[in-house]
Amino acid sequence: MFETETFLAASLIPALLVAFSAGILSFLSPCVLPIVPPYLAYMGGVSVTDMEDDKGARNRAVVSALFFVLGLSTVFLILGAGASALGRAFLGYKSYFEIGAGIVVIIFGFHFLGLYRLKFLDREMRVDAGDKGGSAFGAYFLGLAFAFGWTPCLGPILSAILGLATGQADVGKGMVLLGTYAIGLGVPFLLVAAFFPQLKRPMAWMKRNMGVIEKTSGVLLIIVGLAMATGFLAMFAYWMLEAMPFLAVFG
């Protein structure tokens, strides 16, 4: 039998994969993807047309996007630490937390599928950061505001990752998990800023097919919720340790 510490470390690997994928899905959500170009332009102090035609403008947008992602990451790292601390405090009830979190994620999955709508998840709070963009500090502030203001809209996907972080019951691992989610959400911002002319058409296609993307997200949320509630993620981690013993080095 594997040592508990080794298993817990290896069990983080499937959770990290889920977290990174969840970050990408959050980027593709209806309340994020449509506002990406104007946000990037605002943060860089340029126009969307400049981003398309001027490499220097795209470079400024990339720098601003980097600070924006740092702002996002700050909030999500704090959330990860808080969720893990909660899990540690109620370690004896860990299995109940996982089942409850799984059920909530499944409910959110049905919301994405359109079987019913949870009105509070369709709302968002946008924070006015002033009339002037183009500063690193402003971009960082917008990242903080984005993470807080869009939490209701990102809630269905973010809740799944917070549930996983609570199950880790380790502050460091919880922060790594939410940091990975932030990377999945933030890296696409950097890619769009750097390669806006090449990605303009794919982004337009995604906007036109937002309904399909949202339903796909719903299906994935239901799968993750079932895995959390039934303990499948833990079983998958055991299988990974047996099939790939080198993962024990993470312990």
Side-chain angles (χ1 to χ4, degrees), residues 1-4 6-7 238 241-242:
M1 181 177 293
F2 298 103
E3 295 182 358
T4 301
T6 300
F7 165 69
Y238 273 121
L241 279 173
E242 292 177 353

Side-chain angles (χ1 to χ4, degrees), residues 26 29 31 76 104-105 108 111-112 120-123 147 149-163 181 221:
S26 293
S29 66
C31 58
F76 291 136
V104 171
V105 171
F108 287 158
H111 163 84
F112 268 171
F120 72 95
L121 294 177
D122 291 325
R123 298 175 181 175
W150 266 259
T151 296
C153 184
L154 300 178
I157 297 176
L158 182 58
S159 64
I161 309 308
L162 288 174
Y181 171 78
L221 279 175

